[in-house]
């Protein structure tokens, strides 16, 4: 069975500071990994995905994540936070293959302060 | 390209009433998913369709929840009778089985259900 653990349900950073959101996964087969962002009263939007190609994945809005198999991690980073980054972020895992279901973490709410 | 459409956006009902949600996936997407997102939690898969066939409904409470995807396009999710613990956002997503967006799920805005 696959699972995802997101450390820290709330993270607060100052505008311009580094953003680091942590995600560890468990999967019995090579995983596909995803980060989604959810703004209030909206659906989920894909930030980036890892599908067994390059281990450093770049996404939208300046975010990137690095797949580290030895640490079973897929942490999300952004060098400089912007007020518009305030949202809920979800890490998700699926088994490599055709249209497999996603298993989501519990989410991390990012707060950006002035 | 139009995204995943869902309606209604909000619904308030009393317990033991019934409710239905509608989803229209992205054109050409064969796979459709319904997720339940309880406040403070990540989305949980309820049911997955491939065209008009069910692939996975292992987490669907079948005594009260039902879903169908006639003709392999639109889908409806029904709850009858509703319980207080069904209060959540119900998200619909769709995905393609090939191309550049392979294995990527696209989500609709969700339907927020409040059961009183």
């Amino acid at each position: 069975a696959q699972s995802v653990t997101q450390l820290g349900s709330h993270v607060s950073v100052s505008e311009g500071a580094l953003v680091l959101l942590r995600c560890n996964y468990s999967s019995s087969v090579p995983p596909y990994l995803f980060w989604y962002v959810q703004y209030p009263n909206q659906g989920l939007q894909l930030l980036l995905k890892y599908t067994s190609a390059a281990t450093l994945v770049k996404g939208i809005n300046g975010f990137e994540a690095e797949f580290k198999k030895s640490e079973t991690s897929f942490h999300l980073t952004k060098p400089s936070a912007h007020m518009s980054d305030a949202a809920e972020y979800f890490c998700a895992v699926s088994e490599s293959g055709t249209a497999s279901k996603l298993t989501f973490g519990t989410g991390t709410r990012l707060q950006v302060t002035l | 390209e139009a995204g995943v459409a869902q309606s209604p956006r909000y619904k308030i009902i009393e317990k033991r009433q019934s409710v239905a949600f509608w989803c229209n996936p992205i054109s050409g997407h064969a796979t459709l998913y319904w997720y339940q997102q309880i406040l403070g939690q990540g989305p949980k898969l309820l049911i997955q369709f491939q065209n008009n066939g069910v692939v996975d409904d292992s987490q669907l409470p079948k005594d009260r929840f039902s879903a169908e995807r006639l003709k392999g396009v639109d889908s409806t999710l029904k709850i009858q009778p509703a319980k207080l613990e069904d209060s959540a956002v119900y998200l619909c997503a769709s995905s393609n089985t090939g191309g550049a967006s392979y294995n990527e799920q696209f989500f609709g805005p969700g339907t927020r259900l409040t059961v009183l």
Side-chain angles (χ1 to χ4, degrees):
Chain A
Q2 57 200 26
S3 65
V4 164
T5 301
Q6 291 185 243
L7 296 176
S9 58
H10 290 84
V11 170
S12 181
V13 301
S14 300
E15 191 174 35
L18 171 72
V19 176
L20 171 61
L21 304 182
R22 301 179 185 274
C23 172
N24 288 89
Y25 71 90
S26 172
S27 178
S28 57
V29 299
Y32 286 171
L33 293 160
F34 305 79
W35 276 101
Y36 282 86
V37 61
Q38 187 175 34
Y39 297 101
N41 298 315
Q42 295 186 27
L44 281 72
Q45 179 184 7
L46 182 69
L47 279 177
L48 49 79
K49 62 181 177 181
Y50 166 77
T51 55
S52 74
T55 57
L56 182 61
V57 181
K58 295 186 182 299
I60 62 172
N61 301 339
F63 284 93
E64 64 181 36
E66 185 172 8
F67 173 70
K68 292 186 177 181
K69 184 178 180 180
S70 61
E71 299 177 7
T72 61
S73 69
F74 190 58
H75 302 331
L76 182 70
T77 61
K78 182 174 180 178
S80 178
H82 192 273
M83 295 296 290
S84 62
D85 295 327
E88 187 95 20
Y89 291 80
F90 292 94
C91 182
V93 62
S94 74
E95 295 181 354
S96 53
T98 302
S100 295
K101 69 177 185 181
L102 289 171
T103 299
F104 285 87
T106 52
T108 297
R109 181 165 298 279
L110 176 65
Q111 181 182 17
V112 182
T113 59
L114 290 172
Chain B
E1 179 182 72
V4 177
Q6 290 187 247
S7 67
R9 290 295 313 277
Y10 304 91
K11 189 73 177 180
I12 301 174
I13 62 173
E14 295 189 350
K15 60 182 179 183
R16 292 188 289 275
Q17 286 187 324
S18 62
V19 64
F21 313 127
W22 174 81
C23 172
N24 184 264
I26 292 174
S27 177
H29 280 195
T31 309
L32 185 146
Y33 313 78
W34 282 102
Y35 290 87
Q36 180 192 57
Q37 186 179 16
I38 294 173
L39 185 65
Q41 299 180 20
K44 181 187 79 172
L45 180 71
L46 292 175
I47 189 167
Q48 175 184 344
F49 291 95
Q50 181 79 10
N51 296 308
N52 60 352
V54 175
V55 174
D56 184 349
D57 63 357
S58 57
Q59 298 193 85
L60 186 73
K62 299 181 184 63
D63 57 335
R64 297 183 301 105
F65 285 65
S66 64
E68 60 182 12
R69 192 184 183 197
L70 301 177
K71 302 179 182 179
V73 182
D74 293 7
S75 177
T76 56
L77 176 69
K78 297 179 182 178
I79 308 175
Q80 182 179 12
K83 293 185 175 182
L84 296 177
E85 58 261 36
D86 298 332
S87 294
V89 176
Y90 291 85
L91 295 165
C92 179
S94 68
S95 66
N96 209 342
T97 54
S101 60
Y102 174 75
N103 217 59
E104 177 182 340
Q105 295 185 25
F106 296 83
F107 285 80
T111 297
R112 182 177 297 276
L113 173 66
T114 302
V115 182
L116 303 176

